[in-house]
């Protein structure tokens, strides 16, 4: 079988087929496009066919390949963790504006999953002390593996939100918490069907985890410290209300590349 036959017979959207075939063969996508007559060896063909069959059942490409790009990092991912998405890079960008490039700064990532936020911040701010918390031992295993491979020093803690850091304070807290409502129809569509429910579902209205984090964050922020949260496209007003009720100042929401208000944050009260 050659490249053209494999792509044409996969039964997948062309871009996805090229990505899987490139991974199965080790041939860059550009070369696959330029040389459709190129032969594929039997082992690569079998790997591609198996992946294509699983993809047609809806399994996410990130889980098939075992990795996902995030903020310039190649992160291992498994069904134990949420697949990092480009929207979450906005949290990293906002946090980096508040993390000193040289001086000491303590950063906390709540619900770290694959470690995406924590690792991206640590890579960009090596002098920061970054702690990352997750309630799932399986997720922390994936995150630790990513940190080891990337040679980034993160303090990993197992626990539910702030329970893992009961008496500690931070200059910056970030989180991509569960924010999908339990009855949301998207949960039975697309990639979400295969991702861990605990990392997706935030109660009946999708806001339970965000409420808890915002409520408890002031006790774990230094005076003038910042909290940045990812949330649903239609949740910015609610999150702003939570932040205001918790005494945050300079409350702001930021838009993702699709124009949705996707990240909100604010500064804790007290001296800067």
């Amino acid at each position: 079988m050659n490249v053209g036959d494999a792509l044409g017979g996969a039964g997948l959207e062309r871009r996805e087929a090229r990505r899987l075939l490139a991974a199965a063969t080790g041939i860059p996508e550009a070369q696959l496009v330029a040389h459709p007559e190129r032969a594929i060896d039997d082992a690569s063909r079998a790997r591609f066919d198996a992946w294509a069959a699983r993809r047609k059942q809806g399994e996410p490409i990130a889980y098939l390949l075992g990795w996902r790009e995030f903020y310039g990092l190649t992160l291992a991912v498994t069904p134990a963790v949420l697949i990092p998405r480009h929207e979450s890079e906005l949290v990293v960008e906002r946090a980096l504006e508040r993390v000193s490039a040289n001086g000491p700064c303590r950063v906390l990532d709540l619900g770290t999953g694959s470690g995406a936020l924590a690792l991206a911040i640590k890579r960009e701010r090596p002098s920061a002390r970054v702690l990352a918390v997750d309630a799932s031992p399986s997720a922390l295993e994936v995150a630790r593996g990513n940190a080891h491979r990337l040679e980034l020093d993160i303090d990993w803690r197992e626990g539910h939100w702030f329970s893992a850091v009961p008496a500690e304070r931070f200059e910056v807290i970030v989180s991509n918490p569960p924010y999908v409502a339990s009855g949301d129809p998207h949960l039975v569509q697309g990639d979400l069907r295969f991702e861990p429910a605990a990392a997706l579902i935030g109660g009946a209205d999708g806001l339970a985890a965000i409420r808890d984090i915002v409520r408890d964050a002031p006790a774990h922020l230094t005076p003038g410290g910042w909290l940045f949260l990812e949330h649903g496209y239609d949740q910015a007003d609610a999150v702003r209300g939570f932040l205001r009720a918790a005494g945050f100042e300079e409350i702001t929401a930021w838009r993702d590349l699709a124009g949705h208000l996707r990240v909100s944050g604010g500064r804790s009260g007290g001296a800067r």
Side-chain angles (χ1 to χ4, degrees):
M1 176 179 285
N2 62 29
V3 167
D5 291 338
L7 292 175
L12 298 174
E13 189 270 331
R14 199 75 169 182
R15 178 179 57 84
E16 292 188 348
R18 285 198 305 268
R19 185 177 176 190
L20 290 177
L21 188 59
T25 62
I27 302 170
E29 288 189 45
Q31 291 188 26
L32 295 177
V33 173
H35 300 285
E37 77 287 352
R38 184 168 179 168
I40 301 172
D41 64 81
D42 290 342
S44 296
R45 175 184 174 181
R47 186 160 47 245
F48 173 70
D49 288 345
W51 282 345
R54 291 165 63 186
R55 180 56 184 158
K56 282 187 283 189
Q57 296 300 312
E59 193 167 346
I61 288 180
Y63 290 158
L64 294 175
L65 302 184
W67 58 270
R68 182 67 171 257
E69 292 287 341
F70 180 82
Y71 212 81
L73 302 174
T74 299
L75 300 178
V77 294
T78 76
V81 300
L82 197 69
I83 299 169
R85 291 168 169 81
H86 292 305
E87 291 87 347
S88 301
E89 294 182 348
L90 187 57
V91 179
V92 176
E93 292 169 359
R94 297 289 78 80
L96 291 175
E97 294 173 352
R98 301 296 174 178
V99 178
S100 172
N102 300 306
C105 183
R106 288 169 57 85
V107 180
L108 174 63
D109 174 19
L110 292 173
T112 193
S114 65
L117 299 182
L119 292 165
I121 292 170
K122 181 65 176 179
R123 199 271 302 269
E124 297 297 320
R125 298 289 187 268
S127 61
R129 183 189 176 196
V130 181
L131 286 79
V133 172
D134 204 288
S136 166
S138 298
L140 286 174
E141 183 179 354
V142 174
R144 287 191 179 101
N146 281 322
H148 178 75
R149 181 172 46 80
L150 295 168
E151 299 183 334
L152 293 171
D153 183 19
I154 307 289
D155 183 352
W156 306 103
R157 307 276 185 92
E158 183 180 337
H160 182 71
W161 306 134
F162 294 104
S163 68
V165 289
E168 297 178 69
R169 288 181 178 263
F170 304 86
E171 280 73 34
V172 175
I173 297 174
V174 298
S175 184
N176 176 16
Y179 57 75
V180 181
S182 57
D184 193 309
H186 292 95
L187 291 168
V188 293
Q189 300 172 11
D191 290 356
L192 298 189
R193 292 173 293 167
F194 295 83
E195 295 184 84
L200 291 168
I201 301 173
D205 63 357
L207 293 165
I210 292 175
R211 282 192 195 93
D212 290 347
I213 292 171
V214 174
R215 180 195 64 217
D216 295 338
H220 296 277
L221 282 166
T222 58
W226 286 81
L227 171 66
F228 298 102
L229 295 159
E230 181 175 337
H231 51 71
Y233 74 95
D234 58 352
Q235 295 173 333
D237 288 344
V239 176
R240 173 180 290 273
F242 300 155
L243 291 165
R244 185 181 296 114
F248 282 88
E249 303 171 358
E250 299 183 39
I251 299 168
T252 309
W254 294 271
R255 296 185 184 276
D256 61 19
L257 293 176
H260 301 303
L261 292 171
R262 181 67 65 174
V263 172
S264 293
R267 181 178 62 82
S268 64
R272 294 175 187 252

